[in-house]
Amino acid sequence: MVAPNHTIPGLRLSGEFSYNERPLFRDLVLELLPGSWTCLLGSSGIGKSTLLRLIAGLETGGSFSGSISASDDLPVDGRVAYMAQSDLLLPWLTVRQNVSLGASLRRELQDHVKTDYLIHRVGLEEYMSSKPGQLSGGMRQRCALARTLMEDTPLVLLDEPFSALDPATRRQMQALASSTLQDRTVLLVTHDLAEALRLGRRVYAMTQGKLQQFDLPTCQSIRELDDPAIMDIQSRIFSVLNA
Amino acid sequence: MKPESGSLSLIRVWEILFAGLFMILVWQAVVWVTQVESFILPGPLAVASAFVNQFALIWHHALITAVEVLAGLLLGVTAGILTALNLTLSERGRKLIMPALVMSQTIPVFALAPLLTLWLGYGLASKIAMAVLIVYFPVTSTFLDGLANTPKGYLDLAHTMRSPNRSTLMQIRIPAAIPSLTSGIRLAAVYAPIGAVIGEWVGASNGLGYLMLLANGRVKIDLMFAALLALCILTITIRAVVVLLCNRAEKWSGLSERN
């Protein structure tokens, strides 16, 4: 299902952004490593989601000058899948129709085999014909994940997708997302330090218009946080965020 | 799952019956206590007997009013939906036409009735036009509002999925606007009979509005009340059917709070 690694580009954003003439950040550089997870940490209102929306090409309400480019020099536009805190499932469509929404909107041929495979992968095969209103919060987010995977884009932008879930469901979703998106270039915006350390290959801590970069050792799946090296990074990020 | 509405609607039927019975009792009490002449206020019994005795006459006129109301409702709702869709697609159109539409609402529909009768004659057309006029604006404005207020997240999602505008409109914005549209249509179902009856008052030879004026002129106040009763039943029936259809549409959209 997943394209070979060499076709997955990294991404670089650099520039400045102002909102109502007030600069939100200047000379900022954000680099996403190809085929791995980058987490963007910071408190609410600091501009994390703005960065993500800039990459996704979505309305931000401010003005950006700078560049956003993929490492393979192909346009970023059209190669991005987006998943938000709210699952954004269309309540009038079934789980199956929601998962294949992208193809339906673009009037492309539906790939039923792939749709069913991905629904199976997120464990919703018994709910294919259910509408979102009949699902729990965790199930809805799993359906949204399947929809994101269905888009099969090399770049995946996750805007606090797990923050509305209870702790147990959140851990399950993190594991599921980590395994299903392991070869993509992922940007995860979160305010949960543990989540960033568990999932990220690289973590950016964002404070008042600045980014501080922390690279973590590679890890096959979800990282356990009791490793002394990780605990050290954790305390460094913590002190940056609270400075 | 949410509770079924079956038992709830049964309670509501009882409530409505009880309220109706209470009003009839008050009415009869007023007639007894004040000893008012029957050509001023006939009692419920007199009205009921007029309703039964003149049923064929009332039925004939009620059917005509029903046709006017339903045709007006259908045309008005269709025109409202098409206008809202067109104004959604064209920003320039919205800027040009919306102020005119809002301004047009300052003209009382009553004032237009004689004109419509003059232009369209004494037949069905002028009454249907009245109903269309009265229905058109609430449907247009509520649907337009709904189309303009699609949840932003849905539009973001459509954008990242590279959805063409037309697909976003057809597959996201229209379904998401269904609750707004249905609230407009519910209003329309109550307004449409008003339009038709105003039309009949201004000039007609058929319909419940005409029958009421005729009965009034001949001091058959019991018949007038019976025609009014028929109009109430007609309005309630049409509204009930419309509400049922609207609830279904909302339930399908998954956006209803009430289902």
Side-chain angles (χ1 to χ4, degrees), chain A residues 53 57 92 104-106 131, chain B residues 156 159 161 167 171 252:
Chain A
R53 294 181 68 86
W92 54 89
S104 164
L105 286 172
R106 292 186 297 270
K131 289 195 172 179
Chain B
D156 288 346
H159 180 91
M161 288 177 163
S167 291
Q171 296 186 43
W252 171 84

Side-chain angles (χ1 to χ4, degrees), chain A residues 53 56-59 77-82 88-92 98 101-102 104-108 131 134 147 151 153, chain B residues 1-2 152-164 166-168 170-173 175-176 251-255:
Chain A
R53 294 181 68 86
L58 296 172
E59 182 56 48
D77 214 28
R79 293 197 294 164
V80 168
Y82 167 68
L88 299 179
L89 297 179
L90 300 180
W92 54 89
N98 265 298
L101 177 69
S104 164
L105 286 172
R106 292 186 297 270
R107 296 157 189 239
E108 290 167 358
K131 289 195 172 179
Q134 298 165 302
R147 182 188 58 200
E151 287 299 286
T153 55
Chain B
M1 293 301 293
K2 286 147 190 165
K152 208 163 166 295
Y154 292 169
L155 299 178
D156 288 346
L157 190 68
H159 180 91
T160 57
M161 288 177 163
R162 287 167 289 134
S163 169
R166 187 168 285 270
S167 291
T168 308
M170 298 302 291
Q171 296 186 43
I172 297 180
R173 295 177 71 184
K251 198 167 176 196
W252 171 84
S253 79
L255 295 163

Side-chain angles (χ1 to χ4, degrees), chain A residues 4-205:
Chain A
N5 211 355
H6 63 267
T7 63
I8 304 288
L11 185 133
R12 187 172 195 275
L13 178 147
S14 65
E16 58 181 58
F17 181 85
S18 59
Y19 184 72
N20 282 344
E21 316 254 314
R22 273 185 42 211
L24 194 62
F25 53 77
R26 266 199 202 112
D27 303 328
L28 183 125
V29 177
L30 174 78
E31 267 179 303
L32 308 187
L33 297 168
S36 59
W37 284 59
T38 304
C39 298
L40 183 55
L41 261 175
S43 50
S44 315
I46 206 87
K48 309 187 295 288
S49 291
T50 305
L51 277 174
L52 181 138
R53 294 181 68 86
L54 283 172
I55 298 171
L58 296 172
E59 182 56 48
T60 54
S63 66
F64 172 72
S65 63
S67 68
I68 299 169
S69 56
S71 60
D72 57 5
D73 292 329
L74 292 170
V76 176
D77 214 28
R79 293 197 294 164
V80 168
Y82 167 68
M83 190 172 161
Q85 178 177 353
S86 139
D87 52 72
L88 299 179
L89 297 179
L90 300 180
W92 54 89
L93 299 183
T94 62
V95 163
R96 206 157 182 268
Q97 290 167 327
N98 265 298
V99 170
S100 55
L101 177 69
S104 164
L105 286 172
R106 292 186 297 270
R107 296 157 189 239
E108 290 167 358
L109 214 59
Q110 301 276 354
D111 186 344
H112 296 300
V113 176
K114 189 176 166 193
T115 310
D116 292 352
Y117 167 76
L118 288 173
I119 292 173
H120 176 79
R121 184 124 196 239
V122 298
L124 288 177
E125 58 270 33
E126 281 172 42
Y127 300 92
M128 286 221 192
S129 319
S130 306
K131 289 195 172 179
Q134 298 165 302
L135 305 181
S136 70
M139 282 151 80
R140 293 170 65 111
Q141 230 15 324
R142 275 189 275 157
C143 180
L145 178 64
R147 182 188 58 200
T148 310
L149 292 168
M150 190 70 198
E151 287 299 286
D152 210 2
T153 55
L155 296 160
V156 177
L157 306 174
L158 307 175
D159 194 356
E160 305 196 28
F162 315 126
S163 61
L165 303 174
D166 64 81
T169 317
R170 189 184 313 163
R171 290 217 56 155
Q172 284 174 8
M173 272 304 293
Q174 286 168 351
L176 187 64
S178 155
S179 67
T180 50
L181 293 170
Q182 61 176 341
D183 293 326
R184 316 291 172 97
T185 302
V186 178
L187 174 64
L188 170 70
V189 162
T190 177
H191 54 243
D192 180 352
L193 177 55
E195 181 171 277
L197 291 169
R198 220 175 265 140
L199 295 167
R201 168 79 176 78
R202 170 175 285 178
V203 174
Y204 282 104

Side-chain angles (χ1 to χ4, degrees), chain B residues 72-112:
Chain B
L73 203 53
L74 206 66
L75 290 173
V77 168
T78 309
I81 289 174
L82 291 178
T83 309
L85 283 177
N86 274 310
L87 295 186
T88 299
L89 288 174
S90 143
E91 193 174 338
R92 182 179 291 178
R94 202 159 55 242
K95 279 183 182 152
L96 283 173
I97 294 174
M98 245 350 244
L101 262 181
V102 174
M103 284 263 286
S104 74
Q105 291 308 297
T106 59
I107 305 170
V109 185
F110 279 95
L112 290 176

Side-chain angles (χ1 to χ4, degrees), chain B residues 208-246:
Chain B
L208 288 172
Y210 161 78
L211 183 63
M212 286 171 75
L213 282 190
L214 185 79
N216 192 25
R218 298 189 180 173
V219 207
K220 288 185 177 170
I221 307 303
D222 51 352
L223 178 60
M224 190 181 160
F225 269 80
L228 186 62
L229 181 66
L231 184 64
C232 286
I233 295 170
L234 178 69
T235 306
I236 289 170
T237 310
I238 288 173
R239 187 179 137 84
V241 172
V242 167
V243 166
L244 194 78
L245 293 175
C246 287

